Amino acid sequence: MPDNKSRPPQQPLWEHGWAPDTSRAPGTRRLWLAGVLAVATVVACVATVSLTDRPSDERSASGEGRTTSDKETSSGLISFASPTVSGSPSASATQGGASPSASASSSASPSPNGGSPASASASPAPSAPAAGGGSDPEPAVVRRSVQSVNHPDRHWRVGDGRVRLEAAGGSEFRADATFTVVKGLADASCHSFRTSDGSHLRHRDFVLRAERDDGSSLFRQDATFCARASHLGAVMLESVNYPGYFLRHQNFQVKLERYEHGGQYASDSAFRLVEGLA
């Protein structure tokens, strides 16, 4: 039979003298746990409120001792600052105050040796102005005659509006075979040839002619030729608007033709600009 000594008697309490223990209230342990949970909840709420009330710039500036720069925003996106306009002159200016000018390179064209003929050093150029002059003087007039390399007794001569190679003759020949060499009408680094009556030599239908300047862009390009060094010690005259096409004589007619590899073409397209015959 089980021992029921720990259980309170079923009879009325006043008959046996037993009463419940009143030293502690019922549910004390649960009350302590509820109190601790309540205190922890209050502490967490206070900490959250204190963190929320801190300024946003202090939060972003804090952590690793960094400060918010103009290149980084608090959201983590990169923003680019506007460039500062400086009123001081550029540091790249030269000591003398003059900026260096870039030299223009000539267009590539074939040469008898397979490369690109260099600009001819023998080509006429206006004389340099005298030092100390107040203003640039007008360039000296350069008068030249064009001599064939493989027919040295013949020169360019204008006749009936076309240019042919002819043997030297009298005063009329010398006047028709002398040209004023000026800066190229379409490219100042190249050359144009002006006749005694004010016309210019230009190629039309690939034939060299003397015609009046009509003011068109096409005329200026047709009348501009660039001197390239020839392996024969002379120059080849390349068209500015037909790169790779050079003036040559064929049957003593001066015309524009595409460059060809071969001794005959190299000889026929080589000329010397000599002192004017007139």
Side-chain angles (χ1 to χ4, degrees), residues 23-104:
S23 61
R24 62 186 182 89
T28 305
R29 182 178 299 173
R30 287 192 294 271
L31 291 175
W32 276 102
L33 291 176
V36 171
L37 181 60
V39 171
T41 303
V42 172
V43 172
C45 291
V46 172
T48 303
V49 171
S50 63
L51 289 175
T52 305
D53 291 341
R54 295 180 63 186
S56 59
D57 56 347
E58 292 183 3
R59 291 201 309 273
S60 62
S62 63
E64 300 183 3
R66 296 184 300 111
T67 59
T68 305
S69 65
D70 58 348
K71 292 185 179 180
E72 184 177 354
T73 63
S74 59
S75 63
L77 299 177
I78 296 177
S79 62
F80 298 95
S82 300
T84 303
V85 179
S86 172
S88 60
S90 171
S92 64
T94 57
Q95 185 176 3
S99 58
S101 58
S103 60

Side-chain angles (χ1 to χ4, degrees), residues 99-145:
S99 58
S101 58
S103 60
S105 60
S106 349
S107 60
S109 57
S111 71
N113 294 328
S116 298
S119 298
S121 58
S123 59
S127 57
S135 60
D136 294 336
E138 291 294 327
V141 175
V142 180
R143 298 177 65 81
R144 292 286 184 266
S145 292

